[in-house]
Amino acid sequence: GQQLNQSPQSMFIQEGEDVSMNCTSSSIFNTWLWYKQDPGEGPVLLIALYKAGELTSNGRLTAQFGITRKDSFLNISASIPSDVGIYFCAGQRLNYGGATNKLIFGTGTLLAVQP
Amino acid sequence: KAGVTQTPRYLIKTRGQQVTLSCSPISGHRSVSWYQQTPGQGLQFLFEYFSETQRNKGNFPGRFSGRQFSNSRSEMNVSTLELGDSALYLCASSWRDRVYEQFFGPGTRLTVL
């Protein structure tokens, strides 16, 4: 199946540290989304990006839509234990043959935060 | 506002059986998409419905099917289950098509023995 390249695969950090992760694709996307998934639950939407170059924040989270439209970045500042989980990027392409909500997901970044 | 609900949360079936999973979108949402999540393949798009019409379909065999009702609730069906169908099946809703903020339910964990 199709997946976006997401790195790093996992991160083990101390509480209070900043975190950066990114997602890349060989194709252009019109929208980038970032989700967080806790064990046994569905992904929760964190940030949505709609324009190339756009920088959007949600509390301690900041995400950017890459200028080339082929990548996106997520930063978490001053991490806390509840930031633990798997973070996924997701891209969406305009379907010129018709409307679609299909998302293509990244491979995920597992974040562990030690108190 | 209540979130996306999925039933059942857990299901155990044997090979060859069929299964039906249900999804109730957020009130007012008319678009429902289904995804399969496995450790090996990650999150993969199954299909998408809007106003009872299938808008898009992922690269899955015909054993996977779905439908959407007039109240926007959706079901997906998997026939002739195989071991590889064991996965977390996630439903996501948004208020209409081409609106990219999709909200996910907790998923149905299907185990095929």
Side-chain angles (χ1 to χ4, degrees), chain B residues 8-87:
Chain B
R9 289 294 308 273
Y10 303 92
L11 207 49
I12 299 176
K13 292 285 189 180
T14 56
R15 275 182 300 174
Q17 287 187 308
Q18 76 164 22
V19 67
T20 299
L21 312 181
S22 180
C23 171
S24 292
I26 292 171
S27 177
H29 284 196
R30 295 168 61 194
S31 172
V32 173
S33 299
W34 288 88
Y35 293 82
Q36 180 196 64
Q37 186 175 27
T38 60
Q41 296 294 314
L43 280 147
Q44 297 294 322
F45 173 80
L46 278 159
F47 24 67
E48 172 201 348
Y49 289 87
F50 178 73
S51 292
E52 302 177 66
T53 301
Q54 188 179 88
R55 289 298 189 113
N56 205 345
K57 190 176 192 305
N59 189 27
F60 280 82
R63 300 185 297 106
F64 291 81
S65 62
R67 58 178 176 168
Q68 186 180 33
F69 302 95
S70 58
N71 61 358
S72 296
R73 192 176 68 84
S74 177
E75 288 181 348
M76 68 162 280
N77 184 276
V78 188
S79 62
T80 320
L81 284 166
E82 300 177 0
L83 295 178
D85 296 333
S86 294

Side-chain angles (χ1 to χ4, degrees), chain A:
Chain A
Q2 191 176 9
Q3 285 184 289
L4 302 174
N5 299 313
Q6 193 171 340
S7 65
Q9 195 170 21
S10 59
M11 302 181 74
F12 299 88
I13 62 171
Q14 297 285 331
E15 183 177 359
E17 289 184 21
D18 296 343
V19 170
S20 291
M21 60 190 79
N22 69 79
C23 202
T24 60
S25 168
S26 56
S27 304
I28 289 174
F29 284 97
N30 299 94
T31 303
W32 285 95
L33 305 167
W34 285 91
Y35 287 88
K36 176 178 181 255
Q37 186 174 27
D38 292 328
E41 299 295 328
V44 173
L45 180 63
L46 299 173
I47 292 179
L49 302 159
Y50 299 103
K51 289 169 54 176
E54 179 181 355
L55 188 71
T56 298
S57 294
N58 178 8
R60 294 178 295 105
L61 277 61
T62 302
Q64 184 162 24
F65 193 141
I67 290 291
T68 65
R69 296 166 67 189
K70 293 182 179 181
D71 54 12
S72 180
F73 308 88
L74 176 70
N75 294 312
I76 305 173
S77 62
S79 58
I80 58 179
S82 62
D83 290 334
V84 165
I86 302 178
Y87 291 78
F88 290 98
C89 62
Q92 194 161 24
R93 249 187 243 112
L94 268 180
N95 181 348
Y96 295 101
T100 180
N101 278 342
K102 174 183 176 180
L103 293 176
I104 298 172
F105 279 86
T107 47
T109 294
L110 172 64
L111 178 63
V113 180
Q114 182 158 2

